[in-house]
Amino acid sequence: MAVCAHCQKPLTISIEPDSEDEDGNDDVPMGEEPETLPDDVHLSCGDHFHWECLLEAYEYSKCPACNRSIVAASSSSSSTEERIIVDLNNEGGLQQGIDIAPILREESYLRAYPEERKCRAFLEFCSEGDHRAIAELVKSCGEEVTADDEDGEVMTEAVGGPSKSADEVLRYQDPIGDMSSGLHAAVANGHREVAWLLLLLASEYPEMSFPALVYQEAGTLGVMREYQTGKVDIRSLKDAHGRTAEDVARGAGVIWQGWVGTGRLAMPNGAPRSNGRSGVATTLRG
């Protein structure tokens, strides 16, 4: 029977039984055994790993055990991204031929730069069109929680660990992808509500040009537009291919009809960097 090439243990994971039932009883039935589930990542070289063991020992493009290449050729002649194809067997069942390269790249990156977890979550929310989650994430930037450590001492730490400021999150560009911003991601996936929210929070797009419903929704979400003088306008950000969000919109179909060429998704030619406002924050209330 195959074992993990990293820890030499069976390719399973034990799930402890829930100690709290619906009545809030903390008693666990005597003799109840932990549930055992498969946890097997089968690489193309033939070696098997637990998922966490693979992440811990991961060396890009090579198996951590035998040092053989685990990179597969791209399935598209126009794509330069390398793939890592595996058979994955876990609580979701057996999945064959899964490309885990994007997940490995992101997990490895976050282990090296944990302070960017909120930034990565922000990009995911932009891609998914979850403008409410974006608002909650932005509001949580800089928050602190108080708790007791193992010795009973009170400690204060940032929510979710080390984090970027709200301004940094809103203007984040994907360093392990193609340097896309949240606005690029929203446009590529056809999410207008997210685009409006990002323009409101991270651009100098004129306030009078926003639909009233945008302000009403922002007020409901509890976010506000701070003055933007001296800050990077999200419309000016370009990806690794030199494209603005407007360039992406041109190839995204009719959903962005009426947006291209209006200054919503790219800086107007010759537009000033500052809107000249006095610096007073505008509270967004319906």
Side-chain angles (χ1 to χ4, degrees):
M1 182 178 183
V3 297
C4 175
H6 181 65
C7 69
Q8 301 301 311
K9 294 180 179 179
L11 293 161
T12 58
I13 185 172
S14 296
I15 306 298
E16 294 294 334
D18 191 351
S19 62
E20 296 184 6
D21 60 21
E22 295 181 356
D23 297 327
N25 188 348
D26 292 338
D27 294 332
V28 178
M30 294 296 293
E32 184 173 345
E33 296 294 331
E35 182 181 5
T36 300
L37 298 173
D39 181 19
D40 180 5
V41 185
H42 185 192
L43 302 182
S44 59
C45 62
D47 285 315
H48 296 255
F49 288 85
H50 295 116
W51 178 253
E52 286 298 323
C53 286
L54 180 61
L55 290 178
E56 181 180 339
Y58 175 56
E59 298 177 20
Y60 185 68
S61 80
K62 294 182 179 181
C63 171
C66 69
N67 211 37
R68 292 170 58 187
S69 174
I70 55 175
V71 172
S74 174
S75 59
S76 171
S77 59
S78 61
S79 175
T80 59
E81 289 190 356
E82 296 177 322
R83 302 183 303 154
I84 298 176
I85 306 300
V86 305
D87 291 340
L88 185 63
N89 191 11
N90 54 24
E91 67 275 11
L94 176 62
Q95 304 172 72
Q96 295 179 309
I98 301 298
D99 180 13
I100 63 170
I103 303 174
L104 288 177
R105 282 194 293 267
E106 179 151 3
E107 287 292 337
S108 297
Y109 183 81
L110 287 176
R111 288 183 180 225
Y113 303 100
E115 69 276 9
E116 295 198 1
R117 287 194 177 275
K118 283 187 177 181
C119 297
R120 306 300 304 174
F122 165 73
L123 287 183
E124 183 175 349
F125 295 150
C126 290
S127 296
E128 295 174 349
D130 195 341
H131 68 288
R132 294 180 177 84
I134 293 171
E136 291 302 315
L137 187 150
V138 168
K139 289 190 294 183
S140 75
C141 290
E143 285 185 357
E144 294 182 331
V145 294
T146 300
D148 295 339
D149 63 15
E150 294 179 355
D151 299 321
E153 298 292 331
V154 175
M155 60 181 183
T156 301
E157 60 183 14
V159 173
S163 182
K164 300 285 188 179
S165 69
D167 282 339
E168 289 174 312
V169 169
L170 287 167
R171 294 161 176 83
Y172 183 73
Q173 292 181 264
D174 187 358
I176 58 176
D178 59 1
M179 295 302 292
S180 292
S181 68
L183 189 57
H184 285 89
V187 169
N189 291 281
H191 300 308
R192 287 192 179 210
E193 287 181 319
V194 170
W196 277 123
L197 180 62
L198 298 183
L199 290 176
L200 196 64
L201 301 180
S203 84
E204 294 182 10
Y205 189 65
E207 293 178 3
M208 296 300 294
S209 298
F210 286 90
L213 286 175
V214 174
Y215 286 94
Q216 292 172 10
E217 180 67 9
T220 300
L221 296 173
V223 293
M224 65 176 63
R225 185 183 216 186
E226 304 289 345
Y227 81 101
Q228 300 295 314
T229 304
K231 297 180 181 179
V232 173
D233 192 307
I234 196 170
R235 296 174 296 169
S236 70
L237 299 178
K238 296 182 179 182
D239 65 15
H241 308 289
R243 301 178 302 174
T244 64
E246 181 168 276
D247 295 325
V248 175
R250 287 193 179 95
V254 296
I255 189 171
W256 299 107
Q257 185 175 352
W259 285 61
V260 174
T262 63
R264 291 180 188 171
L265 299 175
M267 299 293 291
N269 292 332
R273 295 293 300 168
S274 170
N275 58 17
R277 291 180 57 82
S278 63
V280 178
T282 301
T283 302
L284 303 177
R285 294 175 179 167

